[in-house]
Amino acid sequence: MVYRETYQGAYQVMYLGDDPRQKSIREETLKVMLELSAPGGAAEGCFRRLQSVESFLEDITPTNHESLFHPKPLPKESLHPKAKSGYIFDTYTIDTTPYLNYLLARFLNAFSLGKPAQRPVDALIICAGLGARALGGVEDKAMHPVRGQRVLIHAPWIEKAAGLEESPGRDTYIIPRRNGNVVLGGTRDVDDWYPIVRPETTEDILARCLALCPELAPPEVRAKRAPTIDDLRPLIVEVGCGLRPARDGGLRLDVEWVTNKKDGRQVPMVFNYGHGSSGYESSWGSADVAVSLLENALAGKADN
Ligand SMILES: Cc1cc2nc3c(=O)[nH]c(=O)nc-3n(C[C@H](O)[C@H](O)[C@H](O)COP(=O)(O)OP(=O)(O)OC[C@H]3O[C@@H](n4cnc5c(N)ncnc54)[C@H](O)[C@@H]3O)c2cc1C
């Protein structure tokens, strides 16, 4: 099947920050993703289960929250020269286009949607991403873009994902998908709204990724000589960029009451946006919190 692929790497890395809400949201998400992607799982065909090798600038020790990834430390002698620690762990990557279609089909099956104009509004759920900055009634100016550019190549011989923290906030990553395409990245340009590809960034990404993983070049090339980035160019499927919906202060997951101007009724408005660079890997966990907020708000209203 031929389809246009989205810009996200869409894989789950170990969350090594210390925000307890983030830890639990990501852990819940990982559990659901492991269920969906298991052999015979409901969306198995949208995922690839694999291992990832990640290297960090700091000496990092995973906690119990990371145990589902089964992390194993890399031996000191095989660490990248820039890294103070590194782990190989089990994870998954998502073929985002079929996965988003799977989610849409599941949503449509779960609800019988009537004509919107004929139904009274009981609640509002705001999942507008970067759009929350301009959405009337929300206008959250803490929302801002973190631009990411990536190169998609076809290299079905790549079996492991890899990531290297090059400097604080700057990562190089290699993310193989089930369909044989590999996402190469990345960039993190804070407050950069530039919507199209920068050719010099493409060169930089290819150079960094090849340095991290020379196996990206076709095996027949590597059998003869050391590869260069020119060996990657024929493999390019597409180069693209996107804007991560980041928020000063982090993810917004809360509820407010608003008055419906038509009939004066109070309705709850649940916010679930500002996922930045982790919208996939925190999706199911934050949706769970949003549903609880909604149910509690509606139950509280029924009690009044
Ligand atoms: C290069 C790159 C790599 C990434 N890699 C990863 C990764 O490896 N793992 C990961 O978890 N995440 C990754 N992400 C981040 C991930 O894509 C986002 O966190 C995720 O898409 C956020 O989802 P969302 O639904 O909140 O927002 P969005 O995906 O931005 O969706 C918001 C939707 O709301 C709609 N909308 C906005 N305003 C309105 C309005 N007024 N009315 C109606 N609709 C509106 C928009 O059209 C859009 O469809 C990456 C992103 C980029 C750019």
Side-chain angles (χ1 to χ4, degrees), residues 65-88:
H65 277 276
E66 283 77 56
S67 59
L68 280 172
F69 291 102
H70 311 115
K72 292 181 196 68
L74 297 176
K76 287 275 176 236
E77 61 279 9
S78 62
L79 276 183
H80 191 278
K82 284 184 181 171
K84 286 222 179 78
S85 62
Y87 290 87
I88 183 162

Side-chain angles (χ1 to χ4, degrees), residues 7-11 127-129 131 135 148 242 244-245 275-281:
Y7 302 120
Q8 303 85 11
Y11 80 143
C127 305
L135 181 62
R244 301 178 181 92
H275 295 77
S277 57
S278 60
Y280 284 87
E281 54 199 302

Side-chain angles (χ1 to χ4, degrees), residues 6-13 26 33 92 94 96 100 126-136 143 146-150 173 175 177 183 186-188 240-246 251 272-283:
T6 66
Y7 302 120
Q8 303 85 11
Y11 80 143
Q12 185 149 358
V13 288
R26 289 180 191 226
M33 296 293 200
Y92 62 85
I94 309 176
T96 45
L100 292 174
I126 310 293
C127 305
L130 208 46
R133 197 179 152 86
L135 181 62
M143 287 299 297
V146 175
R147 182 178 176 280
Q149 186 164 318
R150 64 99 174 101
Y173 55 76
I175 307 174
R177 288 183 168 163
V183 182
T187 59
R188 262 172 212 280
C241 61
L243 303 178
R244 301 178 181 92
L251 172 62
N272 182 11
Y273 65 80
H275 295 77
S277 57
S278 60
Y280 284 87
E281 54 199 302
S282 53
S283 54

